[in-house]
Amino acid sequence: MDREKKLREKARELLESKEVDLVIGYGWTRYGKRVAPVFITRPEDVDRLIWNPMCVNNLTLYITRKYPDVKAMGRPAVVVKGCDAKTVNVLIQEGQLKREDVVLLGIPCEGVVYRQELYDGEVTKENVSPKCVVCDVKNPPLYDHLIGEKVEEGSGFEGARNIYQEIEELDKKPEGERWAFWMEHFERCIRCYACRQICPLCYCERCIAEKNMPQWIDTSAHGRGNVAWNLKRAMDLAGRCVFCGECERACPVNIPLNLINQKLSMVVEESFNHRPGYESEGHPPLIVYSLEDREDFIR
Amino acid sequence: MEEKGWEPRIVAFVCNWCTYAGADLAGTSRLEYRPEVRIIKLPCTGRIDPLFIIKAFEKGADGVLVSGCHPGDCHYTSGNYHARRRWIVFRELLKFAGIDLRRVHFSWVSASEALKWRDLINEVIETVRSAGPFEAYRRLNP
Amino acid sequence: MIIKRNDLKRLVEDLIGQGKRVIAPIMRMGLVEYGEIGSFDDITWDYINPRNSFKEFLFPQTEAIARYRIGKKDVELEGVIPELRETIVLGSRPCDAASTASLRSVFTWGAEEDPSRFRDDFYLMREGVTTVMTIACLKGDEDCFCTTVGLTPESPEGSDILLKETVRGNFAVTPVTERGKAFVEEWRDYITDEREDLKEIEYPEVLEGIDTGKIGARLSDVDVFDDPVWQEVARKCIGCGACTFSCPTCHCFDIVDEATGYEGERRKNWDACQFEYFTLHASGHNPRDTQFKRWRNRFLCKFHIYPTKFTSTGCVGCGRCIRVCPVALDIREVMEWLSR
Ligand code: SF4
Ligand code: SF4
Ligand code: SF4
Ligand code: SF4
Ligand code: SF4
């Protein structure tokens, strides 16, 4: 079963029939053997499309309103892994996209690497992306065309680091230690905003970090500004983040953003019984409420 | 590392329609409560962005109180329900970041609950005092 | 001249003991970074090129340049003199060392010929107390391309002292500048006149398809501005500033006021041409309204603006922008394209 071949066939078919104008997928770069997003518009170029465990990017980023120039290229087909497909559900739920605006080429996936440079021909418990260890969408929950056979759900990465366990361990520590842990990380933040730029769900037209009348978040990369930035961003993704892991991967200083985002996902699931990305109906949990919401902390 | 003579600085974000009126009643009723609280009045708890709390800490607050109308009493029907949901998450976020929750308080105080307001304030002040000055946050200043 | 590893250790411990700031590669959160060390043993020796360049110690990511207080009648202004500590960068790489000239070009632009022109004292004062001790690289990684932009893993440009590893694990010392010579004189006791064989230095391959001369010529042609290649190569760019903030020669900054009540600070913070609001005018017009235009600017800055305005280079081939880019945008691909 050669997914790459099937993917190219399907892409060619879609482009030839003009069902789509553009296929957004993965391809090799010229040097260093890295994988990068590619934009294929001509049937004769479909052989540039590839699929392997280095295909880490969440390509749905390019069908958000952040990319008017990609939009101008016409109707897109996007290659999605399960976790990426969840993003599409949230985008639809938030009115950013209509289901018919995009053709999804869903790829049953057996896990990708955490960072491309760690890949050595095999995904192992050492180099696997933490999202894949706890993944339950190896077969995309949403697609128009499934590329190849379905795979078995379930981890298969026994012994790999488990993000939920790490969160629990952090939870058990005394406050002061948690504060020290996060401050050590946040103080290293260089405020490049790669985390925001790569996140398909960070699509605000003007980010609060860029509003300066008043200046809510100091733009300086000092502790004060960095804490405000990282807490605010985590809060704004609560109940929306699909754990595609892109923010942490893009962060040039290795801030463990997955920990903070998934902590809030756990809180949202416990409190409101909501898991983002599994359906496109309804509303994101933080823009609605229930009369039953707990208030044991309110006096 | 409590400084001598230190009194906690507390910022209270309150809604215009219930808690502010309740606090006002406490004042006009000559109820005595402690002066360490700075009140910031907003139209509704639904308007209180988590950044307000962060900002208060940035500017030197040792503790924060957020207070609005009881469920069902919101002047805008549902602002306090939205707020409640937000605080469920934001509180956990602060806790996860290692902020002592003795510094962050939430309450419903209606326009007639002047006594509740007085007791609440005194209690909040005591709790924040037990957490001490929020030096850790101030150290984030450049 | 040779400095034995043990003597280098003594030297470093002495410098630290004197209260000097020693910057060297250290391991932090799984990444090798230039950072201040508290002792010689903090240094990581197994590295090719740290995640950051050491520019942040000359041109900090954020620094106060003035303070103000709004009084009853008027505003009290107070200038800021940066806190200066004598600094030694140990284990810099030749590419990074060469980049200081590129920073200096911008921060002293035109001031050499015309002293009335602005010089950035914040940068110059810091540079004035910094000694750069480079260690020549034994090899590069797959993203290093110094040899393609006219440098080598043992170039002395920008270093005060160049160290080369010997087969016995010691270092051959070559002072490069006056400052370097004075430093070697000062610490002469730790340095011997012995000779040792040097470890072999493996040069990164010169990329044949790339010719910086041709790139410069192509870029001088205004039509290249509208070449579809820009859109083609940079469509995937997400506009994070990871490349710019990691780049040793990127130097753009923004000035902001940060106030609390009636007093505040004016700060100088790194900024980047990759950001959407970098060129947003007050009118609402943005001349670089899409990402490829911002990326095009970055490329033009390195390979057109620098070579036409300054004698220093815009790109030293450190490869950082390639390593950090989350969408694998490889500057060499574009260099190759424009060398045609
Ligand atoms: S989270 Fe699941 S779908 Fe996403 S890359 Fe990992 S294994 Fe594949
Ligand atoms: S990507 Fe990392 S360093 Fe950049 S702004 Fe986000 S958290 Fe900070
Ligand atoms: S916050 Fe991070 S993990 Fe969550 S959706 Fe955005 S990029 Fe993906
Ligand atoms: S452009 Fe890239 S390779 Fe060149 S100096 Fe900057 S970071 Fe290094
Ligand atoms: S080139 Fe890469 S690192 Fe630079 S702004 Fe674009 S996406 Fe970010």
Side-chain angles (χ1 to χ4, degrees):
Chain A
M1 179 191 61
D2 189 345
R3 287 192 207 282
E4 221 165 66
K5 196 158 148 248
K6 293 212 166 82
L7 174 64
R8 292 171 184 170
E9 271 164 26
K10 186 47 86 183
R12 188 190 319 274
E13 192 185 306
L14 290 168
L15 288 167
E16 272 172 357
S17 66
K18 306 244 183 309
E19 197 185 327
V20 302
D21 304 294
L22 164 72
V23 177
I24 309 176
Y26 305 95
W28 293 114
T29 59
R30 171 87 174 73
Y31 302 99
K33 294 218 177 351
R34 280 204 182 79
V35 173
V38 292
F39 301 81
I40 307 288
T41 51
R42 301 182 309 173
E44 56 269 35
D45 291 340
V46 295
D47 287 347
R48 287 184 61 201
L49 291 170
I50 59 165
W51 168 252
N52 63 41
M54 282 164 78
C55 297
V56 284
N57 297 58
N58 179 349
L59 301 173
T60 63
L61 166 69
Y62 295 108
I63 55 169
T64 63
R65 72 162 177 225
K66 295 204 269 193
Y67 292 86
D69 43 339
V70 175
K71 191 169 185 138
M73 294 172 80
R75 186 162 193 252
V78 185
V79 178
V80 288
K81 308 182 285 296
C83 45
D84 310 334
K86 287 199 287 180
T87 325
V88 178
N89 267 334
V90 177
L91 288 170
I92 295 172
Q93 191 176 53
E94 297 183 350
Q96 294 301 309
L97 198 69
K98 291 203 202 63
R99 182 63 188 85
E100 59 274 21
D101 290 347
V102 58
V103 173
L104 298 176
L105 305 175
I107 298 212
C109 159
E110 287 173 299
V112 298
V113 283
Y114 181 45
R115 288 176 202 275
Q116 290 195 19
E117 53 285 17
L118 302 174
Y119 190 59
D120 196 14
E122 202 188 345
V123 186
T124 63
K125 66 181 187 347
E126 280 81 28
N127 68 13
V128 64
S129 175
K131 65 180 172 179
C132 305
V133 179
V134 294
C135 173
D136 60 359
V137 287
K138 298 200 153 161
N139 300 298
L142 190 71
Y143 57 84
D144 296 290
H145 306 283
L146 196 67
I147 306 300
E149 304 295 313
K150 290 200 171 182
V151 297
E152 218 179 296
E153 291 290 351
S155 169
F157 292 105
E158 273 82 41
R161 55 181 277 233
N162 180 305
I163 185 113
Y164 301 124
Q165 259 167 26
E166 283 178 27
I167 291 170
E168 272 168 31
E169 275 157 30
L170 211 48
D171 271 334
K172 276 190 226 130
K173 290 196 170 147
E175 247 130 41
E177 269 180 48
R178 272 204 306 275
W179 174 265
F181 172 86
W182 283 112
M183 293 314 121
E184 183 168 7
H185 283 298
F186 291 161
E187 289 200 340
R188 294 163 44 248
C189 172
I190 58 170
R191 301 297 283 287
C192 60
Y193 301 128
C195 48
R196 174 190 73 187
Q197 294 301 103
I198 199 116
C199 177
L201 297 172
C202 262
Y203 54 69
C204 288
E205 204 152 292
R206 189 150 193 178
C207 175
I208 184 90
E210 242 114 32
K211 295 213 171 155
N212 55 3
M213 287 203 296
Q215 186 80 55
W216 275 108
I217 299 175
D218 289 336
T219 54
S220 309
H222 47 43
R224 192 177 69 206
N226 295 353
V227 168
W229 161 246
N230 281 286
L231 294 185
K232 173 63 175 166
R233 198 183 105 83
M235 189 63 199
D236 284 2
L237 268 302
R240 307 172 57 234
C241 167
V242 294
F243 196 10
C244 66
E246 282 289 88
C247 45
E248 178 169 315
R249 181 182 71 85
C251 177
V253 299
N254 282 8
I255 297 181
L257 297 169
N258 286 333
L259 283 178
I260 202 156
N261 290 326
Q262 292 335 298
K263 167 68 193 184
L264 293 194
S265 290
M266 289 163 84
V267 171
V268 165
E269 186 177 354
E270 264 163 45
S271 311
F272 318 124
N273 195 24
H274 181 97
R275 299 175 73 205
Y278 289 84
E279 52 186 304
S280 56
E281 300 299 308
H283 296 288
L286 269 97
I287 66 163
V288 289
Y289 62 87
S290 155
L291 297 179
E292 264 63 66
D293 283 341
R294 73 186 174 88
E295 55 171 23
D296 49 358
F297 62 97
I298 304 180
R299 267 179 292 184
Chain B
M1 46 184 281
E2 206 153 312
E3 301 152 29
K4 248 195 154 176
W6 171 78
E7 290 300 333
R9 267 187 288 184
I10 291 158
V11 177
F13 296 100
V14 305
C15 82
N16 182 30
W17 304 98
C18 296
T19 303
Y20 189 76
D24 196 35
L25 181 65
T28 49
S29 318
R30 301 275 183 270
L31 291 181
E32 262 188 53
Y33 64 91
R34 308 265 292 276
E36 291 90 346
V37 178
R38 277 75 162 170
I39 294 180
I40 296 179
K41 179 172 80 169
L42 291 134
C44 176
T45 40
R47 172 63 185 95
I48 301 169
D49 190 286
L51 271 177
F52 291 10
I53 293 183
I54 292 176
K55 210 71 184 169
F57 287 138
E58 284 185 0
K59 305 269 173 178
D62 301 299
V64 168
L65 166 67
V66 175
S67 183
C69 310
H70 284 271
D73 287 351
C74 177
H75 187 78
Y76 307 98
T77 320
S78 59
N80 55 355
Y81 289 126
H82 284 288
R84 180 168 69 186
R85 221 169 224 219
R86 199 177 298 146
W87 303 130
I88 292 173
V89 180
F90 191 57
R91 233 177 127 254
E92 293 293 334
L93 174 60
L94 292 180
K95 187 168 149 199
F96 193 58
I99 291 180
D100 188 339
L101 287 184
R102 282 178 298 176
R103 304 189 185 280
V104 199
H105 299 264
F106 302 89
S107 66
W108 305 136
V109 173
S110 78
S112 59
E113 292 177 315
L115 286 171
K116 177 171 178 183
W117 175 255
R118 178 195 62 186
D119 297 342
L120 175 76
I121 290 300
N122 291 338
E123 198 185 316
V124 166
I125 290 172
E126 275 328 303
T127 323
V128 176
R129 184 196 302 283
S130 69
F134 203 175
E135 286 304 332
Y137 212 100
R138 269 159 240 163
R139 271 198 295 275
L140 297 175
N141 289 333
Chain C
M1 282 182 285
I2 297 288
I3 184 159
K4 300 246 159 71
R5 198 169 276 259
N6 225 10
D7 291 326
L8 184 63
K9 177 173 174 147
R10 279 164 61 206
L11 168 64
V12 167
E13 301 294 356
D14 283 359
L15 290 168
I16 295 172
Q18 292 174 352
K20 291 176 181 153
R21 180 168 75 155
V22 181
I23 307 296
I26 50 175
M27 193 76 179
R28 270 181 97 187
M29 306 296 153
L31 293 166
V32 178
E33 296 185 339
Y34 288 117
E36 182 171 354
I37 55 167
S39 98
F40 185 78
D41 297 332
D42 293 347
I43 302 177
T44 295
W45 296 98
D46 181 20
Y47 71 106
I48 303 254
N49 213 353
R51 162 196 79 71
N52 53 347
S53 77
F54 66 83
K55 79 171 172 192
E56 67 194 61
F57 301 100
L58 300 170
F59 165 42
Q61 173 147 24
T62 175
E63 69 177 320
I65 53 173
R67 299 208 166 80
Y68 58 88
R69 180 193 295 274
I70 301 171
K72 283 243 159 53
K73 286 212 185 76
D74 43 27
V75 179
E76 295 160 28
L77 254 180
E78 185 200 326
V80 170
I81 311 263
E83 195 197 319
L84 291 177
R85 263 172 79 201
E86 202 176 311
T87 299
I88 292 86
V89 180
L90 172 64
S92 137
R93 292 307 196 189
C95 51
D96 287 353
S99 75
T100 50
S102 317
L103 294 176
R104 196 182 319 115
S105 305
V106 174
F107 293 134
T108 60
W109 188 4
E112 226 110 286
E113 304 88 65
D114 176 1
S116 70
R117 291 199 53 166
F118 182 75
R119 306 159 69 96
D120 189 316
D121 286 335
F122 290 90
Y123 176 82
L124 290 173
M125 281 158 108
R126 286 206 173 82
E127 205 201 57
V129 295
T130 303
T131 307
V132 178
M133 285 173 85
T134 299
I135 300 181
C137 313
L138 294 177
K139 60 177 197 295
D141 70 6
E142 58 182 21
D143 299 320
C144 292
F145 63 101
C146 54
T147 48
T148 303
V149 293
L151 293 164
T152 76
E154 48 183 335
S155 309
E157 285 94 334
S159 303
D160 293 304
I161 297 162
L162 183 64
L163 303 179
K164 288 184 194 169
E165 242 182 281
T166 70
V167 284
R168 292 206 204 137
N170 301 322
F171 296 94
V173 184
T174 316
V176 181
T177 58
E178 288 307 316
R179 170 185 282 279
K181 284 183 192 134
F183 187 91
V184 167
E185 259 334 292
E186 189 185 342
W187 298 97
R188 199 66 183 85
D189 289 354
Y190 291 164
I191 299 168
T192 72
D193 284 321
E194 290 164 34
R195 293 187 67 92
E196 282 180 21
D197 288 335
L198 298 179
K199 277 193 185 156
E200 200 184 325
I201 293 178
E202 203 181 299
Y203 278 35
E205 184 192 345
V206 181
L207 298 169
E208 290 208 342
I210 297 179
D211 178 337
T212 45
K214 275 197 197 150
I215 299 174
R218 268 293 294 285
L219 296 179
S220 311
D221 174 2
V222 286
D223 289 341
V224 82
F225 207 66
D226 295 318
D227 197 301
V229 66
W230 301 113
Q231 207 155 353
E232 200 59 26
V233 298
R235 181 172 287 129
K236 64 185 174 184
C237 171
I238 61 163
C240 67
C243 53
T244 28
F245 281 7
S246 311
C247 176
T249 68
C250 280
H251 49 258
C252 288
F253 60 84
D254 183 30
I255 305 251
V256 294
D257 286 353
E258 274 171 10
T260 307
Y262 292 98
E263 53 189 338
E265 268 178 356
R266 176 153 292 186
R267 299 190 80 83
K268 177 170 135 199
N269 292 341
W270 287 0
D271 201 355
C273 57
Q274 299 308 299
F275 296 156
E276 184 181 350
Y277 295 107
F278 187 74
T279 45
L280 181 66
H281 296 176
S283 65
H285 173 66
N286 193 343
R288 294 185 205 140
D289 55 359
T290 33
Q291 192 56 38
F292 82 87
K293 297 182 183 168
R294 296 170 205 133
W295 198 86
R296 177 181 63 195
N297 177 76
R298 181 161 195 277
F299 193 87
L300 286 169
C301 176
K302 307 284 176 221
F303 298 104
H304 178 59
I305 302 176
Y306 256 97
T308 46
K309 286 205 173 14
F310 308 122
T311 49
S312 57
T313 70
C315 169
V316 294
C318 71
R320 286 197 180 83
C321 55
I322 304 165
R323 287 180 209 108
V324 295
C325 181
V327 297
L329 208 174
D330 190 327
I331 197 164
R332 294 168 299 187
E333 284 186 33
V334 190
M335 292 169 77
E336 193 178 73
W337 185 275
L338 287 156
S339 299
R340 287 190 192 137

